[in-house]
Amino acid sequence: QVELVESAGGLVQAGGSLRLSCAASESIFSFNAMGWYRQAPGKQRELVLILTSNGRTNYADAVKGRFAISRDSAKNTVYLQMNSLKPEDTAVYYCKAVRPGGMEYWGKGTLVTVSS
């Protein structure tokens, strides 16, 4: 069973930055995509951004130019760098990994709160 463990989120002021990490229990190269989703209170879970094994990144329009994803294969970890945070970025952020066969794995989520 794959484990994805997100780092702690936190409380950030609007305009600030925060980096989340997601550590996988196995090589990130065993997945054909890894990325981040979020769920704000009262809303459905939505894509933030996802990195495919061929190096392509898909972004939600709301985070383009502010958020970025990176990976450290030696640590089996992907990162979400969030800059210029806005109150509407407040959500629980989830790490997701997808195997080539389509099996999906999720982390437990971490809360990010952006104050105005």
Side-chain angles (χ1 to χ4, degrees):
Q1 180 67 16
V2 174
E3 265 197 301
L4 302 175
V5 180
E6 298 108 339
S7 58
L11 175 63
V12 183
Q13 284 192 331
S17 298
L18 188 65
R19 190 178 79 158
L20 301 178
S21 65
C22 170
S25 57
E26 60 183 74
S27 171
I28 60 175
F29 293 120
S30 65
F31 307 109
N32 67 352
M34 288 191 74
W36 295 87
Y37 283 68
R38 67 186 181 186
Q39 187 166 17
K43 294 188 177 182
Q44 290 189 328
R45 195 174 297 188
E46 62 178 8
L47 170 71
V48 177
L49 44 67
I50 195 159
L51 176 65
T52 62
S53 57
N54 61 6
R56 188 175 69 183
T57 303
N58 293 326
Y59 290 88
D61 288 342
V63 306
K64 281 183 179 178
R66 300 190 298 122
F67 290 13
I69 188 171
S70 60
R71 61 188 175 191
D72 184 337
S73 57
K75 296 182 178 179
N76 295 332
T77 299
V78 294
Y79 300 94
L80 175 64
Q81 179 66 45
M82 303 184 289
N83 299 323
S84 301
L85 282 161
K86 303 176 181 180
E88 51 263 44
D89 294 319
T90 294
V92 177
Y93 284 73
Y94 296 89
C95 180
K96 177 182 176 179
V98 185
R99 288 209 191 276
M103 182 74 74
E104 299 180 350
Y105 303 92
W106 293 89
K108 293 182 179 180
T110 187
L111 177 62
V112 174
T113 303
V114 183
S115 63
S116 57

